[in-house]
Amino acid sequence: MAEQVNAFPQVAHNYERDHELNMWFVAATESWQELEDTLAAIEAKTGLTVRNMPKLHEFYVGLYFEI
């Protein structure tokens, strides 16, 4: 199932868990309409219900590596 979701170019991260909400993923799109279309396409392809849970806050973590 994860492979089907990962096949969408809008999906950035996808994790499976042993839980009632057993898979979650991050989707990035240019518009709300594209997001709705993408989530509907994922539902159609997988046969699973997709719950849209948008982020409420964006956090920036300054992570730097010395090269």
Side-chain angles (χ1 to χ4, degrees), residues 8-13 24-29 34-35 38-39 42 52:
F8 286 84
Q10 298 89 346
V11 173
H13 307 288
W24 67 269
F25 58 89
V26 175
T29 61
E34 183 185 357
L35 177 62
T38 299
L39 298 181
I42 291 172
N52 185 7

Side-chain angles (χ1 to χ4, degrees), residues 2-58:
E3 296 83 18
Q4 291 177 313
V5 175
N6 288 335
F8 286 84
Q10 298 89 346
V11 173
H13 307 288
N14 183 9
Y15 304 93
E16 288 189 68
R17 300 183 292 171
D18 184 24
H19 185 270
E20 179 183 347
L21 302 174
N22 64 349
M23 183 182 299
W24 67 269
F25 58 89
V26 175
T29 61
E30 294 288 327
S31 68
W32 284 107
Q33 185 61 55
E34 183 185 357
L35 177 62
E36 290 176 8
D37 294 345
T38 299
L39 298 181
I42 291 172
E43 282 188 336
K45 185 166 190 166
T46 64
L48 299 175
T49 300
V50 175
R51 296 180 179 154
N52 185 7
M53 295 186 243
K55 66 181 175 183
L56 300 177
H57 302 284
E58 186 162 337

